[in-house]
Amino acid sequence: MDEPVLVVGGGVSGLCCALELARRRIPVRVLEASDRVGGRVRTDRVEGFLLDRGFQVLPSAYPEARRMLDLRALELHAFVPGARVHRGGRFRRVADPLRRPGDALATLLSGVARPADALRILRLQGSLARDSYEEIYARPDRSTRDHLASLGFSEQVVEAFFRPFFGGVFLESELATSSRFFEFAFANFARGEATLPAHGMGAIPAQLAARLPEGCLELGARVGAVGPEHVELAGGERRRARAVVVATEAAAAARLVPGLDVPESNAVGCLHFDAPRAPLEDAWLVLAADRAGPVSNLCVPSEVAGSYAPPGRSLVSASVLGACSEKDADLEAAVRAQLVGWFGAPVRDWRLLRIDRIPDALPRLEPGAGAVERPAREGDLFVCGDHRGMPSLQGAMVSGRRAAESVAVSLS
């Protein structure tokens, strides 16, 4: 029997690569170092709560997700298309007037966007809903902040909405990220909904892994080195392969593939709280427009999907951009102080469930970084992951498929 293609890494990209190879009847084996698949897309059950590893969503408009996933089986639950913006000491409601016309007046009176800004948002929304990814990726590149200024948006709406909202998408607070990433993200929010699977984001890689051929996945297989036709495990065992695909996160890929050019990553922290009741009703994302504390955004996942919390309890997740180098107690105290200012004394009774610190949460896509989709083949090796394309689940899935297609061509 032919040696299999060895895929190093069982994250979303590696799983999509393996599934495409299996579809083409090419023997494949996935080597995953940890005890489960998913990489950064992970959900833990803690005392009856579902804790995703950091705040993540699945945009329902992702075409590769529609191609690769059974979205109905994931039982997706959607966020409200908009946000509650905390600015100037109070919450202001901002919603998509096309999907929530009942909130249109509240949005106009919120003080977040001027009437001219609201019209520009609608025009941009309509334009990007029609444009292809190829058109977006081919446009001139600059920082998101410069791009918004060129479109005529006021500094008021940039600081009150775009910076806190897309800062949470990019995991950086200055909108220094590529305008191509901004338009990609905006287009997907315009075309569909931001959703959570009923059983957590970890249900996505679990579903992909369940479709792999029997015996294809090997957990606890830590790889120390790779070559064009072999993989060496950390314990010294050598495995032969028809081809090797490195499907790890960026830093690990750079260690395994000499000379591989990978981007830096943005970091984030997430504090998960058990609350007796939700601090706000309905499935809103909360944005911190004032730079008055560490929290960038907050959500109540159990208001989106009730399965995220036990009966009678609520799960509150607050995100903090950056490395979060403080001690746990100091970080928790600063976050609580900010949230007491938002929701009052009940915050003091919330019970901290866990703090996630994720140093490599998202590959950084800087302006002028070159082609959005990097080649899948690097010399005699193949590489995939969201650091090879648009930093997103869509990018990870597409990169996995492209790597499999490249492998198939090389073996033909």
Side-chain angles (χ1 to χ4, degrees), residues 232-312:
E232 187 174 310
L233 300 183
E237 180 186 353
R238 193 178 179 93
R239 304 272 187 92
R240 290 191 56 78
R242 293 180 71 192
V244 174
V245 181
V246 176
T248 65
E249 49 87 19
R255 290 193 297 269
L256 291 171
V257 183
L260 183 67
D261 180 28
V262 299
E264 297 295 321
S265 292
N266 290 331
V268 72
C270 187
L271 288 79
H272 304 277
F273 294 97
D274 164 19
R277 63 189 61 83
L280 50 90
E281 294 181 353
D282 215 343
W284 290 95
L285 176 66
V286 181
L287 304 178
D290 297 327
R291 301 179 189 244
V295 175
S296 168
N297 59 70
L298 174 145
C299 70
V300 186
S302 53
E303 286 291 294
V304 184
S307 48
Y308 266 74

Side-chain angles (χ1 to χ4, degrees), residues 151-170:
L151 294 176
F153 287 105
S154 70
E155 186 66 13
Q156 175 180 313
V157 74
V158 169
E159 281 298 306
F161 177 73
F162 285 109
R163 182 187 58 77
F165 185 91
F166 285 96
V169 175
F170 306 152

Side-chain angles (χ1 to χ4, degrees), residues 73-382:
L74 289 175
E75 301 175 58
L76 299 179
H77 297 261
F79 281 83
V80 171
R84 300 289 293 276
V85 178
H86 192 268
R87 181 171 181 260
R90 67 182 182 90
F91 285 108
R92 303 154 192 266
R93 183 176 300 197
V94 178
D96 182 344
L98 300 180
R99 299 188 216 185
R100 288 178 68 101
D103 286 324
L105 181 60
T107 298
L108 284 174
L109 297 177
S110 67
V112 170
R114 298 170 180 171
D117 290 320
L119 289 174
R120 289 187 181 97
I121 289 173
L122 286 173
R123 284 200 296 267
L124 182 61
Q125 187 177 25
S127 170
L128 292 177
R130 296 187 299 269
D131 293 345
S132 69
Y133 290 143
E134 290 74 20
E135 289 173 313
I136 291 172
Y137 296 172
R139 284 180 186 147
D141 202 13
R142 52 193 157 190
S143 76
T144 295
R145 184 176 287 276
D146 288 345
H147 184 54
L148 291 170
S150 75
L151 294 176
F153 287 105
S154 70
E155 186 66 13
Q156 175 180 313
V157 74
V158 169
E159 281 298 306
F161 177 73
F162 285 109
R163 182 187 58 77
F165 185 91
F166 285 96
V169 175
F170 306 152
L171 304 185
E172 58 92 3
S173 61
E174 300 305 325
L175 298 181
T177 296
S178 162
S179 58
R180 293 170 178 168
F181 192 2
F182 164 75
E183 292 202 336
F184 164 85
F186 200 112
N188 281 290
F189 290 127
R191 295 169 186 170
E193 299 171 309
T195 71
L196 294 177
H199 300 288
M201 292 293 290
I204 295 170
Q207 185 186 103
L208 294 170
R211 291 166 44 205
L212 289 171
E214 186 176 356
C216 173
L217 175 63
E218 185 175 343
L219 300 176
R222 186 172 296 278
V223 171
V226 300
E229 296 181 345
H230 76 275
V231 160
E232 187 174 310
L233 300 183
E237 180 186 353
R238 193 178 179 93
R239 304 272 187 92
R240 290 191 56 78
R242 293 180 71 192
V244 174
V245 181
V246 176
T248 65
E249 49 87 19
R255 290 193 297 269
L256 291 171
V257 183
L260 183 67
D261 180 28
V262 299
E264 297 295 321
S265 292
N266 290 331
V268 72
C270 187
L271 288 79
H272 304 277
F273 294 97
D274 164 19
R277 63 189 61 83
L280 50 90
E281 294 181 353
D282 215 343
W284 290 95
L285 176 66
V286 181
L287 304 178
D290 297 327
R291 301 179 189 244
V295 175
S296 168
N297 59 70
L298 174 145
C299 70
V300 186
S302 53
E303 286 291 294
V304 184
S307 48
Y308 266 74
R313 310 300 296 183
S314 292
L315 175 64
V316 182
S317 297
S319 296
V320 178
L321 302 185
C324 300
S325 57
E326 309 97 315
K327 294 179 180 178
D328 284 0
D330 294 338
L331 180 60
E332 180 186 354
V335 166
R336 278 190 194 272
Q338 184 178 356
L339 299 185
V340 165
W342 289 8
F343 304 117
V347 172
R348 298 191 179 100
D349 296 328
W350 293 359
R351 183 171 63 96
L352 180 67
L353 292 166
R354 190 174 77 184
I355 298 177
D356 288 329
R357 287 180 169 86
I358 312 166
D360 297 314
L362 191 73
R364 192 177 302 161
L365 188 60
E366 297 180 335
V372 171
E373 294 184 337
R374 304 184 182 194
R377 185 159 190 167
E378 291 286 335
D380 294 324
L381 295 167
F382 301 86

